[in-house]
Amino acid sequence: MLHLSRLTSLALAIAIVIGAPLAQAAEKTAPATPAAGVPAKTNAAAKPPLPLDELRTFAEVMDRVKAAYVEPVDDKTLLENAIKGMLSNLDPHSAYLGPEDFQELQESTSGEFGGLGIEVGVEDGFVKVVSPIDDTPASKAGIEAGDLIVKINGTPTQGQNMQEAVDKMRGKIGEKITLTLVRDGGTPFDVTLARATIQVKSVKAQMLENGYGYIRITQFQVKTGDEVGKALAKFRKDNGKKMSGLILDLRNNPGGVLQSAVQVADHFLTKGLIVYTKGRIANSELRFSADPADASEGVPLVVLINGGSASASEIVAGALQDQKRGILMGTDTFGKGSVQTVLPLNNDRALKITTALYYTPNGRSIQAQGINPDIVVRRAKVTNEADGENYKEADLLGHLGNGNGGADKPTVKSGAAAKARPQDDDFQLSQALSLLKGLSITRGN
C-alpha cells in the first residue's frame, strides 16, 4: 500500500505543503509566503506535567548509545535524530526541517528550486513516483506516475526511509544520476538524468479549438491564482465573445499553497463555501468562501483529475464538484486531505507538522479516500488509422448538383500532416473536449 502520502517538499521537485497563512511571528525567518505556516498558540496554564519517567528513559538510552555504540556519536547528532524520529512517526507529512530543507521549502513556493522534477511517495518499502512535474528532467526522460524507483545509482532503495532516498537524489546542478525503475511490474530499466534547477511554470493556457480553452496547472504556487485570472482574461480578449467551454487540467498536480487553490476555485464560483479546515489549535479553524465576481463568465467547465492530483488540487476539484460548477473527468485522486503548518524554530530550522484536515463545501474529508470523478476516463493510447480509398457522390462524373446551392464536397486527398494538437495524443483531454462540444450543442451555444 502507498504510504499515504510520504510527499516531500525538498529539492527533488516536490509538492509544496498546504499551509495556513503566515502570522507575524513567522515573518522573521524568511520572505513571507502563504505556505510558511502559522505558529500555534499555546496556553501555558493548560500544559500537562512533564512525563518524567519517559524523559529518564530517553536520557538513559542516549547515555547508553554514547557509551556503547561501535563508533562515537556526538550529542547534537543524537538529539537531531531523536527529533526527526519524533516527527516522522506522527504521520507521513510531519517532519523536522534543517536549515537547507527549510530554505528549499520556501524556495519551492516561488517555483524555482533544484532537483529532478519528481513528486515521490513510498510503497512497500520502495520509493514511488507520484507524479513527474512538467518540463523537468524527470518528465523529459519519460518517467511516469506509478513508477517504482528500486535503485539510485545502483544502490537499492528498499528499506531506506524517505529522507535517505531524497538525499541520494539531490546533488549539484548538472551532475548525472541513474535511477532504476520498475513500471507496471515489468523488467527493471535504467534512466539517467542530469540534476537541474527546476523552474516550474505553474499555469499553461491555450486554445484547443475555436471557442474551447485549456488551462493546465502543474503546481499551486503563490502566484497561481493571479496567473489563472490572467489566462481567463486573455481568453475573453482573444476569443472576442463568451467561450463555448473550458478544460481545467489538474492531472499530476501534487498540490501547493492553500490560498492559491482557493483563488483558483474562486475564479469559477460566485457564491458559497470553497473549503474549510478543522484542527485542535485556534489558527487551524479556517473557512474560505467565494466572492461574487466571475472571471470565468460561467463557461461550461470540465476538470481533469487522476491519481497524481493531490492536496490543493483536490481542494479545487472538490469545491467545483460540490458546487455543481464543473464536471470532473478522469480517475480517483490521491487522497491527501491534511494541512501542514510550518513552525519556525531557532537557527533557521522548522517543524512541518500536520495541524488540520480540510473539508469540501459538503463536509467531505478527502483524507485517504480522494475525490471520485463524475465520469471515469482512464488513460488510453489512440492511433489514427489511414483513410481507405473511399469515394463520395461528388467524385462521380456527371453527378447532380445540390438543389439548395453551395459548392460540391468531393473527397479530400490526404496531404501534409496536420499540426499536432494537445488533444490528438491525450485521450482524456480529447474526451473532455468532446463532452464540452456536446454540452455546447445541447445548450444551443
Side-chain angles (χ1 to χ4, degrees):
M1 292 292 292
L2 182 63
H3 197 37
L4 290 179
S5 116
R6 178 74 66 175
L7 302 184
T8 172
S9 53
L10 303 178
L12 191 57
I14 308 305
I16 311 162
V17 297
I18 288 186
L22 254 182
Q24 59 271 21
E27 294 174 357
K28 301 175 183 176
T29 63
T33 65
V38 176
K41 293 181 179 179
T42 58
N43 185 345
K47 286 184 179 179
L50 290 174
L52 296 180
D53 288 343
E54 287 76 9
L55 288 173
R56 290 191 187 98
T57 301
F58 175 82
E60 183 180 358
V61 170
M62 185 172 173
D63 284 340
R64 297 263 179 121
V65 170
K66 288 176 62 179
Y69 187 65
V70 65
E71 294 179 351
V73 187
D74 60 75
D75 291 342
K76 179 182 177 182
T77 300
L78 287 174
L79 289 171
E80 288 212 343
N81 287 340
I83 295 171
K84 290 177 182 177
M86 184 192 312
L87 271 293
S88 65
N89 282 288
L90 292 175
D91 67 77
H93 307 288
S94 296
Y96 171 72
L97 305 178
E100 290 184 4
D101 299 340
F102 188 25
Q103 178 65 26
E104 286 161 1
L105 173 62
Q106 295 172 82
E107 289 174 356
S108 68
T109 64
S110 69
E112 181 174 331
F113 45 92
L116 300 178
I118 313 173
E119 171 66 37
V120 294
V122 170
E123 182 176 279
D124 297 331
F126 290 107
V127 179
K128 181 178 181 178
V129 177
V130 174
S131 63
I133 296 176
D134 289 354
D135 299 325
T136 63
S139 63
K140 292 175 182 177
I143 293 177
E144 297 180 2
D147 288 349
L148 292 180
I149 303 174
V150 296
K151 292 182 181 179
I152 302 172
N153 283 337
T155 302
T157 60
Q158 190 170 29
Q160 294 183 10
N161 61 40
M162 180 58 63
Q163 187 60 53
E164 290 172 336
V166 169
D167 288 343
K168 288 187 186 328
M169 286 187 274
R170 294 172 59 192
K172 293 182 179 179
I173 302 300
E175 281 189 350
K176 292 187 176 180
I177 178 172
T178 299
L179 305 180
T180 303
L181 307 176
V182 172
R183 181 171 299 162
D184 298 328
T187 303
F189 62 96
D190 290 343
V191 175
T192 300
L193 312 89
R195 299 181 180 95
T197 298
I198 308 301
Q199 294 181 323
V200 179
K201 296 178 181 178
S202 175
V203 176
K204 297 180 180 179
Q206 67 181 97
M207 297 297 294
L208 297 176
E209 293 183 9
N210 186 31
Y212 295 95
Y214 173 70
I215 295 178
R216 169 157 175 75
I217 303 177
T218 59
Q219 200 170 5
F220 285 90
Q221 301 168 2
V222 174
K223 297 181 180 180
T224 299
D226 292 337
E227 291 175 5
V228 170
K230 291 177 182 177
L232 290 171
K234 189 174 188 303
F235 281 155
R236 290 196 300 271
K237 179 180 178 182
D238 294 347
N239 202 48
K241 59 179 181 178
K242 183 178 177 180
M243 296 175 60
S244 301
L246 179 68
I247 298 170
L248 179 64
D249 191 351
L250 300 179
R251 292 173 298 174
N252 294 328
N253 181 323
V257 180
L258 173 61
Q259 283 77 2
S260 292
V262 170
Q263 284 180 317
V264 169
D266 196 11
H267 284 314
F268 300 96
L269 298 172
T270 58
K271 62 180 180 179
L273 195 60
I274 294 174
V275 66
Y276 66 95
T277 65
K278 292 195 298 185
R280 292 175 58 209
I281 60 176
N283 293 17
S284 65
E285 302 283 338
L286 302 172
R287 296 178 69 88
F288 298 91
S289 298
D291 65 41
D294 185 7
S296 67
E297 298 183 313
V299 60
L301 178 67
V302 174
V303 183
L304 289 175
I305 56 174
N306 67 1
S309 305
S311 203
S313 299
E314 294 170 293
I315 286 179
V316 175
L320 296 177
Q321 187 179 53
D322 282 5
Q323 299 286 15
K324 309 293 185 184
R325 176 59 185 88
I327 298 172
L328 269 56
M329 179 181 285
T331 55
D332 295 350
T333 60
F334 186 75
K336 180 183 180 295
S338 60
V339 180
Q340 280 67 50
T341 300
V342 178
L343 307 175
L345 304 172
N346 295 326
N347 302 322
D348 297 324
R349 290 165 169 79
L351 299 181
K352 177 163 70 81
I353 186 169
T354 300
T355 55
L357 296 178
Y358 69 75
Y359 297 83
T360 70
N362 288 349
R364 292 184 293 163
S365 171
I366 287 92
Q367 178 61 25
Q369 293 184 0
I371 296 284
N372 303 123
D374 300 306
I375 302 175
V376 175
V377 177
R378 303 192 182 281
R379 289 180 59 194
K381 192 167 186 177
V382 179
T383 56
N384 294 321
E385 292 185 359
D387 293 332
E389 291 295 324
N390 296 320
Y391 292 93
K392 298 181 179 180
E393 174 73 12
D395 295 318
L396 300 178
L397 186 64
H399 67 272
L400 296 175
N402 186 283
N404 291 328
D408 294 344
K409 293 183 178 180
T411 303
V412 178
K413 300 296 182 182
S414 57
K419 184 179 179 182
R421 304 170 302 172
Q423 62 268 35
D424 293 337
D425 298 318
D426 188 332
F427 178 69
Q428 291 173 317
L429 179 57
S430 174
Q431 291 294 101
L433 182 59
S434 296
L435 175 59
L436 284 174
K437 289 180 178 178
L439 292 173
S440 178
I441 293 170
T442 58
R443 293 177 181 180
N445 293 340

